[in-house]
């Protein structure tokens, strides 16, 4: 597990440590859980966007029939 260094005002640290104690956890665990939730939320948003894009492609795709031409035919001179 990697370590990170953060700069946070002492008063904020004091308040959050008290909250952590009330929740029977640690400041480190609270920060870890928050960062995990941010990463999971981002992944979920990307998954929803991809699902929406795939649905749009499915909805707007049309059968163009069988391809009866070759690339060279398009560029005949």
């Amino acid at each position: 597990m990697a370590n990170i260094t953060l700069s946070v005002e002492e008063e904020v640290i004091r308040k959050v440590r008290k909250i952590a104690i009330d929740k029977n956890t640690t400041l480190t665990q609270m920060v870890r859980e928050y960062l995990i939730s941010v990463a999971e939320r981002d992944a979920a948003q990307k998954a929803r966007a991809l699902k929406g894009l795939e649905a749009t492609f499915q909805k707007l795709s049309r059968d163009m029939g069988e391809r009866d031409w070759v690339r060279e035919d398009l560029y005949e001179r």
Side-chain angles (χ1 to χ4, degrees):
M1 191 177 302
N3 288 321
I4 62 172
T5 303
L6 301 171
S7 296
V8 181
E9 293 184 23
E10 284 293 324
E11 184 63 25
V12 173
I13 298 284
R14 215 171 297 126
K15 288 178 182 179
V16 175
R17 279 195 174 131
K18 287 179 184 177
I19 294 169
I21 290 170
D22 290 343
K23 293 183 176 203
N24 198 30
T25 189
T26 63
L27 173 61
T28 300
Q29 185 62 32
M30 289 178 68
V31 171
R32 185 180 299 123
E33 288 172 0
Y34 174 73
L35 294 176
I36 290 168
S37 73
V38 169
E40 288 173 349
R41 214 172 27 241
D42 183 65
Q45 287 174 339
K46 287 179 180 177
R48 280 192 303 274
L50 179 59
K51 193 172 184 177
L53 186 59
E54 288 171 344
T56 300
F57 284 153
Q58 181 107 19
K59 179 181 175 184
L60 298 176
S61 291
R62 299 292 179 255
D63 182 13
M64 302 302 278
E66 191 173 325
R67 184 173 134 182
D68 59 355
W69 50 269
V70 292
R71 184 177 184 273
E72 290 76 23
D73 293 342
L74 300 175
Y75 296 98
E76 281 185 9
R77 298 186 181 199

